[in-house]
C-alpha cells in the first residue's frame, strides 16, 4: 500500500469499489478467524467452566483470568486503533492497511465471547441474516437516484433519541424491571435501524467516489473500514435478537 493519498489512475477508476469490497471481505475473514481461534482456545485448550450455582469453577479460574486479561487489553487496543484510524484519515498520511488489519484482529478477540457462549447454529443463522440485510442495503444505496444524505441526518436523530431513551431506561429500571427489558429491545431496534441507514449512505458515498475518479488506495481502505464496522454492528445486533428469540 502507498503511504499517501495518491489518486488512482483513470483506467483504474472502476476498480475502486472492487477494492473496497475486497478489503471488507479480508477484514471480516480476519475477524472471523481470530474469533474462532479464541473460541477454540478457551473452549478446549484453556476451558472456562461454570458451577451449578453459576459461578466460575475454581479449577478454571486461572483460565478465566487469562481470558479477561486478554479482553481488557483488546478493549484498550480497540480505542487506540480507532483514534489511529481517525487521525490518519484526517491527516491523509500513513498506511491505512496496518491499523485496519490490527483493528480486525482486535475485533475478533472482542467478539470471541459469542463463539464461547452462543451456539454455532445461532451464529451461522445471524451471519446469513446479516448478509441478506447488507445485500439489501447495498441495492438501496448503490442504485438510488436521489441524494441520500437525509438518511444520515435521520440516523443521527435516531441515535440521539436512543441515547436519551437509554438514560431514561436506567432510571426506570428501579421502577419497573419488566418495562426496562422491553425498552432495551426497543432501543436495540432503533440503533439497528440507525446503523442500517448509515450503511446505505456509506454505499452511496462509495459509488460517488468511484464515479468521480478521485478514489485512492487509502481512501478505499477507509471506506472498507466504514462498511466493516457497519457489518459487524449489524451482525452483533442481529445475533443478540436471534439469541434472545431462541430462549423463548
Amino acid at each position: 500500500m502507498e503511504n499517501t493519498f495518491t489518486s488512482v489512475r483513470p483506467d483504474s477508476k472502476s476498480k475502486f469499489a472492487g477494492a473496497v469490497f475486497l478489503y471488507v471481505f479480508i477484514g471480516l475473514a480476519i475477524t472471523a478467524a481470530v474469533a474462532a481461534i479464541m473460541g477454540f482456545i478457551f473452549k478446549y485448550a484453556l476451558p472456562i467452566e461454570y458451577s451449578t450455582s453459576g459461578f466460575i469453577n475454581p479449577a478454571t479460574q486461572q483460565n478465566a483470568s487469562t481470558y479477561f486479561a486478554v479482553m481488557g487489553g483488546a478493549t484498550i487496543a480497540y480505542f487506540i486503533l480507532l483514534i489511529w484510524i481517525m487521525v490518519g484519515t484526517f491527516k491523509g498520511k500513513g498506511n491505512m492497511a496496518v491499523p485496519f488489519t490490527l483493528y480486525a484482529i482486535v475485533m475478533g478477540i472482542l467478539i470471541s465471547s459469542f463463539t464461547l457462549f452462543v451456539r454455532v447454529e445461532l451464529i451461522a443463522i445471524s451471519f446469513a441474516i446479516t448478509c441478506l440485510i447488507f445485500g439489501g442495503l447495498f441495492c438501496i444505496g448503490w442504485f438510488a437516484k436521489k441524494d441520500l444524505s437525509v438518511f444520515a441526518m435521520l440516523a443521527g436523530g435516531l441515535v440521539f433519541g436512543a441515547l436519551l431513551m437509554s438514560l431514561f431506561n436506567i432510571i426506570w429500571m428501579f421502577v419497573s424491571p419488566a418495562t426496562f427489558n422491553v425498552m432495551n429491545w426497543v432501543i436495540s431496534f432503533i440503533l439497528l435501524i440507525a446503523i442500517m441507514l448509515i450503511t446505505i449512505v456509506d454505499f452511496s458515498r462509495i459509488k460517488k467516489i468511484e464515479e468521480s475518479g478521485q478514489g485512492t488506495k487509502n481512501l478505499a481502505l477507509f471506506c472498507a473500514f466504514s462498511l466493516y464496522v457497519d457489518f459487524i454492528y449489524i451482525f452483533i445486533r442481529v445475533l443478540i435478537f436471534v439469541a434472545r428469540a431462541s430462549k423463548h
Side-chain angles (χ1 to χ4, degrees), residues 47-58:
I48 301 175
E49 300 174 354
Y50 291 84
S51 62
T52 55
S53 58
F55 294 97
I56 297 176
N57 191 321

Side-chain angles (χ1 to χ4, degrees), residues 158-199:
L158 289 174
V159 171
F160 181 72
L163 290 176
L164 292 180
M165 291 176 65
S166 297
L167 293 175
F168 173 79
N169 202 31
I170 293 174
I171 300 174
W172 193 250
M173 172 179 62
F174 301 100
V175 179
S176 176
T179 305
F180 171 80
N181 292 329
V182 174
M183 286 291 288
N184 269 340
W185 275 88
V186 174
I187 293 170
S188 295
F189 183 74
I190 291 175
L191 290 174
L192 176 60
I193 296 299
I195 197 63
M196 287 170 64
L197 292 174
I198 292 173
T199 304

Side-chain angles (χ1 to χ4, degrees), residues 54-82:
F55 294 97
I56 297 176
N57 191 321
T60 63
Q61 181 64 52
Q62 184 61 44
N63 297 343
S65 298
T66 301
Y67 180 72
F68 294 142
V70 172
M71 292 294 283
T75 301
I76 295 173
Y78 170 86
F79 289 105
I80 293 175
L81 288 169
L82 193 59

Side-chain angles (χ1 to χ4, degrees), residues 21-236:
F21 298 138
L22 175 62
Y23 296 147
V24 173
F25 174 80
I26 293 174
L28 291 175
I30 291 172
T31 298
V34 172
I37 292 172
M38 284 286 292
F40 178 85
I41 290 175
F42 288 97
K43 265 187 178 180
Y44 303 105
L46 300 172
I48 301 175
E49 300 174 354
Y50 291 84
S51 62
T52 55
S53 58
F55 294 97
I56 297 176
N57 191 321
T60 63
Q61 181 64 52
Q62 184 61 44
N63 297 343
S65 298
T66 301
Y67 180 72
F68 294 142
V70 172
M71 292 294 283
T75 301
I76 295 173
Y78 170 86
F79 289 105
I80 293 175
L81 288 169
L82 193 59
I83 294 173
W84 183 1
I85 292 173
M86 294 298 106
V87 172
T89 303
F90 178 76
K91 291 184 176 181
K93 297 180 180 180
N95 191 337
M96 285 290 295
V98 176
F100 180 34
T101 302
L102 293 176
Y103 185 94
I105 293 173
V106 168
M107 184 58 70
I109 295 174
L110 292 176
I111 68 173
S112 65
S113 57
F114 293 117
T115 60
L116 278 173
F117 304 112
V118 179
R119 300 199 307 272
V120 175
E121 59 269 26
L122 296 183
I123 295 176
I125 291 172
S126 301
F127 180 78
I129 293 174
T130 303
C131 288
L132 290 174
I133 293 175
F134 218 64
L137 299 178
F138 165 78
C139 292
I140 297 173
W142 199 262
F143 298 107
K145 302 298 182 181
K146 297 182 179 180
D147 182 18
L148 301 179
S149 57
V150 65
F151 281 14
M153 297 175 60
L154 180 58
L158 289 174
V159 171
F160 181 72
L163 290 176
L164 292 180
M165 291 176 65
S166 297
L167 293 175
F168 173 79
N169 202 31
I170 293 174
I171 300 174
W172 193 250
M173 172 179 62
F174 301 100
V175 179
S176 176
T179 305
F180 171 80
N181 292 329
V182 174
M183 286 291 288
N184 269 340
W185 275 88
V186 174
I187 293 170
S188 295
F189 183 74
I190 291 175
L191 290 174
L192 176 60
I193 296 299
I195 197 63
M196 287 170 64
L197 292 174
I198 292 173
T199 304
I200 292 174
V201 174
D202 285 340
F203 278 125
S204 178
R205 184 179 297 115
I206 292 170
K207 182 181 180 181
K208 290 179 180 178
I209 294 174
E210 181 181 58
E211 291 175 344
S212 70
Q214 299 301 310
T216 67
K217 291 184 177 181
N218 268 358
L219 185 55
L221 279 163
F222 181 75
C223 290
F225 171 74
S226 298
L227 289 181
Y228 167 89
V229 172
D230 295 340
F231 187 96
I232 291 294
Y233 188 89
I234 293 174
F235 169 72
I236 291 175

Side-chain angles (χ1 to χ4, degrees), residues 5-24:
F5 281 77
T6 305
S7 295
V8 295
R9 299 187 309 273
D11 61 353
S12 63
K13 170 183 172 181
S14 61
K15 297 179 181 179
F16 178 78
V20 171
F21 298 138
L22 175 62
Y23 296 147
V24 173

